Amino acid sequence: MSSPATAELLARRERALGASYRLFYEEPFAPVRGEGVWLYDKDNTPYLDAYNNVASIGHCHPAVVAAIAEQSAQLNTHTRYLHPSIVDYAEDLLSEFPEPLDNMTMTCTGSEANDLALRIARCHSGGTGIIVTRWAYHGVTSALAEVSPSLATGLPTASHVRLVDAPDSYRKTGDFVASVKAALQDMQAQGIKPAALLVDSIFSSDGVFSPANGELAAAAQCVRDAGGLYIADEVQPGFGRTGGQRWGFARDNVIPDLVTLGKPMGNGHPVAAVVGRSALFDQFGRQQRYFNTYGGNPVSCRAAHAVLRVLREEDLQTNARQVGDYLKQGLQELAERHPLIGDIRGEGLFIGVELVTDRHTQTPATACAAAIVNGLRRRQVLISATGPKANVLKIRPPLVFAKEHADLLLERLDQTLNDLG
Ligand code: PMP
C-alpha cells in the first residue's frame, strides 16, 4: 500500500494535471534519487531500473552533471550566436555515422526531430504521403499524432497516412516489404505522392522486432524509387543500445536518408537531432529557416557531448551486447520452466519477452503481463510492457546494466512467474 504522503501527492497531481498524464504501476512509484542502474525511494530503498533508456549511461552520471553545471554557470544562449559547443559536438557525433550522412540539425525532443524530418521529406519529395507501422509511436505534435496509431485504439487514419505490418518474427502474420509496396501502390492510386517511410529501427511499440535480413533496405529502396525518403527513428534504439552496432539501422545494412535521435542523447537532458545528407538540409534550408530556441544551446550540447564521450570511454555498446546476450540466455532458461513465455527477442539491451496463454495458439497474455510488471515492481525491479496487446515485457535498462543486475532481474522474474502459478 502506498504511504499517506504518496497518496496525498497523487491526489494533488490528479487535481492539478490533466487526464492525459498516466502513471506506471498499480502502486505508483515515487523515486527521489538515482545512481547508475538504481532508483531510490524516500526510504532509500533501491529499485533496479531495467526500463529507462533515457538515463542510458546511468542515472545522474557525474560527467553529465558536471558538464551541465559548468556550462550553465558560464553561458547559455542559442544558435544565433557563434559558439564552439554545437560545432564540436556535431563534428564528433557525425563521425559516428556512415557516409553520406554528414549534416545535422538539433532540436529538444525526439518529436521535434521527427517533425522536422517529415518537413524535410515533404520539401524534398514534393509529396505528403507517409508510411508507418500499424502500432507505431513517433511523437507528440499534430503531424506525428497522425502517424502514431498506438496513441489510442480506433483513431481514424489520416488520408495521407498508410499503415503497414511490422516485421513480426514471432507470429509471421504480415510481410513488411509487401505491405510497404502495397501502401505505395495505394497512394499512387489515390493520387498521393509519397514523402517518407518513417520507422523505428527496433519497432518498439509494435512489440520489439529487429529484422536483419534486408527487409528495411528493401522497403527503403521501394520508397526511394517512388520519390520518398527513408527516415530511421533511432530515438529508442540509437546510441549503442542494440549492442552489435551504434545505430539500429546498421543491423540491416541500410543507410537511411534521415535519422532522428533523442532520449539517451542527453542522458535525461532534453536534446535531440536530425542527421542526414547535406543535400537534403541544404534544399530545405534554402527555402526556409529553422530556429529552435533551445535546440542546440551550449548547455545541451555540452551534456550531449559528455554522454557521447562516456559511451565510448566505458564501451557501453559492447556491454549492451554482452549483458544483453547473457540476459537473453537467462530468459531462455526461464522459458523452459514457464510456458507463459512464448518468445524472447530484441538486440543488446533492448529485449522483448512475449507472453502467451498458449504457445500453440500464441494468444496474448495481456493480464499476465500487467501482473508481472506490477509483481516485479513490488519486488523492486522496474520494467514495462509493450506491443498492440501490451503482452510483451519490455526490458530496456540503462546501458551500465551488469551481469549481476541481470541475475537479480532473472531471479525476481522467476519468483514473480512462480507466484502467477
Ligand atoms: N520516436 C520514438 C520511437 C519514441 O519512442 C519517442 C518517445 N517515446 C519519440 C519518437 C518522441 O520523443 P519525445 O518524447 O522526446 O518527443
Side-chain angles (χ1 to χ4, degrees):
M1 276 304 291
S2 47
S3 69
T6 308
E8 200 218 322
L9 184 60
L10 186 59
R12 283 175 48 213
R13 176 181 148 119
E14 278 171 5
R15 274 196 299 275
L17 304 171
S20 284
Y21 282 92
R22 308 279 156 86
L23 284 162
F24 282 147
Y25 309 117
E26 282 161 3
E27 195 184 321
F29 176 51
V32 297
R33 183 170 74 80
E35 189 181 340
V37 296
W38 299 100
L39 288 172
Y40 297 84
D41 67 11
K42 66 174 181 13
D43 301 320
N44 219 20
T45 305
Y47 283 70
L48 180 66
D49 184 358
Y51 181 70
N52 286 292
N53 58 339
V54 171
S56 188
I57 62 167
H59 287 279
C60 306
H61 195 290
V64 181
V65 174
I68 291 172
E70 230 178 76
Q71 189 58 49
S72 311
Q74 200 171 50
L75 175 78
N76 201 18
T77 51
H78 51 75
T79 52
R80 294 288 196 141
Y81 300 108
L82 201 54
H83 197 273
S85 57
I86 188 169
V87 184
D88 290 345
Y89 178 61
E91 287 172 348
D92 208 7
L93 182 67
L94 290 171
S95 75
E96 295 276 349
F97 283 86
E99 281 190 35
L101 305 177
D102 61 352
N103 244 230
M104 63 186 265
T105 296
M106 293 187 71
T107 64
C108 305
T109 66
S111 298
E112 287 179 351
N114 277 332
D115 201 77
L116 175 59
L118 291 183
R119 286 174 63 190
I120 294 172
R122 286 186 167 138
C123 169
H124 171 77
S125 63
T128 54
I130 303 168
I131 302 172
V132 293
T133 50
R134 242 172 254 299
W135 203 246
Y137 180 74
H138 294 292
V140 297
T141 68
S142 314
L144 293 170
E146 288 181 339
V147 295
S148 296
S150 69
L151 280 174
T153 32
L155 284 179
T157 306
S159 59
H160 64 286
V161 177
R162 292 294 176 279
L163 306 183
V164 297
D165 299 324
D168 185 333
S169 51
Y170 179 49
R171 290 193 168 70
K172 302 187 175 67
T173 38
D175 180 331
F176 177 62
V177 182
S179 207
V180 169
K181 283 183 182 158
L184 288 166
Q185 267 168 15
D186 189 46
M187 278 186 190
Q188 199 185 14
Q190 308 285 320
I192 298 165
K193 220 171 159 196
L197 166 70
L198 170 63
V199 284
D200 171 356
S201 308
I202 192 93
F203 298 89
S204 171
S205 51
D206 285 287
V208 186
F209 302 107
S210 46
N213 53 3
E215 283 179 88
L216 282 176
Q221 197 50 51
C222 296
V223 173
R224 285 177 184 140
D225 290 347
L229 298 182
Y230 162 45
I231 306 169
D233 183 334
E234 291 280 335
V235 168
Q236 294 220 32
F239 290 98
R241 172 155 297 275
T242 57
Q245 53 283 314
R246 238 343 163 245
W247 315 109
F249 62 77
R251 187 192 57 241
D252 209 40
N253 247 335
V254 56
I255 298 179
D257 298 292
L258 294 168
V259 182
T260 56
L261 308 173
K263 289 187 190 278
M265 188 166 165
N267 210 51
H269 185 89
V271 53
V274 184
V275 170
R277 291 188 275 122
S278 51
L280 294 174
F281 286 99
D282 288 349
Q283 188 184 22
F284 177 77
R286 274 196 304 273
Q287 290 181 15
Q288 47 189 309
R289 66 182 173 82
Y290 183 83
F291 174 63
N292 186 323
T293 303
Y294 302 115
N297 74 71
V299 172
S300 299
C301 291
R302 291 281 308 275
H305 214 157
V307 173
L308 190 58
R309 288 191 179 110
V310 171
L311 193 69
R312 289 178 185 141
E313 281 158 17
E314 300 185 11
D315 196 7
L316 294 178
Q317 185 181 318
T318 302
N319 189 66
R321 180 167 47 76
Q322 289 171 346
V323 179
D325 286 350
Y326 177 79
L327 183 53
K328 272 210 271 192
Q329 180 59 39
L331 289 164
Q332 295 292 357
E333 285 162 23
L334 286 189
E336 283 165 25
R337 275 180 289 121
H338 298 286
L340 191 62
I341 299 179
D343 191 34
I344 295 157
R345 52 185 185 253
E347 288 276 322
L349 282 171
F350 206 132
I351 298 176
V353 180
E354 176 143 6
L355 304 183
V356 290
T357 54
D358 178 327
R359 283 184 183 170
H360 188 64
T361 60
Q362 300 181 326
T363 307
T366 304
C368 289
I372 287 173
V373 168
N374 283 296
L376 278 173
R377 181 253 180 268
R378 283 191 293 277
R379 290 186 159 87
Q380 284 119 38
V381 175
L382 306 173
I383 65 161
S384 188
T386 187
K389 302 287 178 208
N391 67 317
V392 181
L393 302 180
K394 181 157 142 190
I395 303 174
R396 200 192 46 176
L399 300 186
V400 287
F401 210 68
K403 285 186 178 168
E404 73 204 66
H405 305 125
D407 286 337
L408 188 69
L409 167 63
L410 290 164
E411 179 197 300
R412 305 264 164 102
L413 179 58
D414 193 20
Q415 293 164 355
T416 311
L417 284 160
N418 282 334
D419 278 1
L420 279 187

